[in-house]
Amino acid sequence: MTSGLWELVLQGVWVTVQLLFFSSLLATAVSFVAGIARTHRLWIVRFLAGFYTEVFRGTSALVMIFWVFFVLPPAFGWQLVPMWAGTLALGLTYGAYGSEIVRGALAAVDPAQKEGGIALSFTPWQRMKLILLPQAVPEMIPPFSNLLIELLKGTALVSIMGMGDLAFSANLVRLALQESAEIYTYVLLIYFVIAFLLTRVMRGLEKKLKAGVGKAPRKKTAAVRVPEGSGVS
C-alpha cells in the first residue's frame, strides 16, 4: 500500500480508539448505575433497571445504531454527529451486559458481610461503598475484560454511518486497491494487537485490585539470639 492509504488506515485506527474509549466510559458508568439499581430495596428501582437491561440486552447493537443515528433525529428535530451517536448506542447496549456483571458480583459477596454492615449501623450507601464494592469489583474485572474486547469488535458497526473508523477505512482501501486479502489481513492484525493490549492492561488491573485481598497480615517475629555456651543447639 502507498503511504496515503496507510495514513487513511491509521486515521481509522485513531477513530476506533476514540470511539472505544468514550463508549467504554459510558458503558462502565451505566453498568454500575443499573447493576447497583437492580439490588435496590425499592421494587420500582429494580423494575426500571431490569427493564432497561432486558431491552438493550435483547436488541441488536446494529439496529440500535440505526435508531440513534437515523430514526430518532428526524423525530426530535436534532442530529448527532457519528462519534456521539456511536458512543451512545454502543455504551447503552454494552452497559446492559455490564449491569448483569455488576449485579452478579454484588450478589456473590458473602451475606454475612452485609449483615455486619447492618450491625454497625451503616447506611445502605455506606455498606455499598465500604463493604460490598471493594469485594465485588476485583471479581468484575475478568468478565469486564471480555466485554471490553466485545465492545472493541462492536465498534466496526459504526461504519454503516459513514464514520471513518478502522472498518470503514479498510473498505475504502479495498476499493482503491481492488484487493481484499491484504487489507483485511492487516485489519485483523490491528484488531488483535489492540485486543491483546487491552487484555494485558485489564489483567494488570485485576492483579492490582486483588493484591492482599483475603490474605492475613504477616506477623513479624523477632529473632532470638542464644548466648554461646548455653547448651542449646
Side-chain angles (χ1 to χ4, degrees):
M1 291 194 300
T2 64
S3 59
L5 293 178
W6 270 115
E7 183 179 353
L8 182 62
V9 172
L10 292 178
Q11 289 176 355
V13 173
W14 175 236
V15 171
T16 294
V17 170
Q18 290 184 81
L19 179 61
L20 175 64
F21 177 75
F22 292 125
S23 57
S24 63
L25 285 182
L26 177 59
T28 301
V30 170
S31 297
F32 277 91
V33 171
I36 293 174
R38 296 200 67 184
T39 66
H40 201 275
R41 63 182 184 277
L42 297 179
W43 73 268
I44 186 62
V45 177
R46 297 196 304 270
F47 172 79
L48 292 175
F51 179 77
Y52 153 75
T53 301
E54 294 302 326
V55 168
F56 280 87
R57 193 175 56 172
T59 54
S60 168
L62 180 63
V63 177
M64 193 60 64
I65 291 174
F66 274 118
W67 266 87
V68 173
F69 191 69
F70 295 109
V71 178
L72 295 180
F76 292 95
W78 43 259
Q79 181 67 53
L80 287 173
V81 296
M83 174 62 75
W84 301 123
T87 297
L88 184 62
L90 293 175
L92 292 176
T93 299
Y94 286 89
Y97 292 98
S99 67
E100 279 295 284
I101 296 175
V102 174
R103 184 198 62 80
L106 290 174
V109 176
D110 189 347
Q113 300 291 325
K114 183 178 179 180
E115 294 170 1
I118 296 175
L120 293 172
S121 300
F122 284 179
T123 64
W125 170 242
Q126 287 176 323
R127 292 197 299 270
M128 182 65 65
K129 179 182 178 181
L130 301 176
I131 299 176
L132 299 180
L133 283 178
Q135 298 182 66
V137 168
E139 304 302 324
M140 300 178 194
I141 300 301
F144 265 131
S145 179
N146 291 333
L147 189 61
L148 184 60
I149 302 303
E150 289 298 321
L151 178 55
L152 169 64
K153 294 185 285 186
T155 57
L157 299 174
V158 301
S159 59
I160 64 170
M161 300 184 294
M163 187 174 173
D165 72 310
L166 179 57
F168 186 81
S169 300
N171 189 51
L172 293 181
V173 174
R174 182 187 66 83
L175 294 176
L177 296 178
Q178 293 298 310
E179 176 64 42
S180 299
E182 179 184 1
I183 180 58
Y184 285 124
T185 299
Y186 288 141
V187 170
L188 284 176
L189 290 175
I190 291 171
Y191 275 115
F192 173 77
V193 169
I194 298 175
F196 179 78
L197 294 176
L198 291 174
T199 302
R200 301 309 299 178
V201 170
M202 294 298 285
R203 285 182 180 177
L205 179 61
E206 180 184 2
K207 289 181 180 179
K208 183 177 181 180
L209 291 175
K210 286 188 174 182
V213 175
K215 295 181 180 179
R218 294 182 178 179
K219 296 182 179 179
K220 294 183 179 180
T221 57
V224 179
R225 186 176 180 180
V226 180
E228 295 183 2
S230 60
V232 179
S233 57

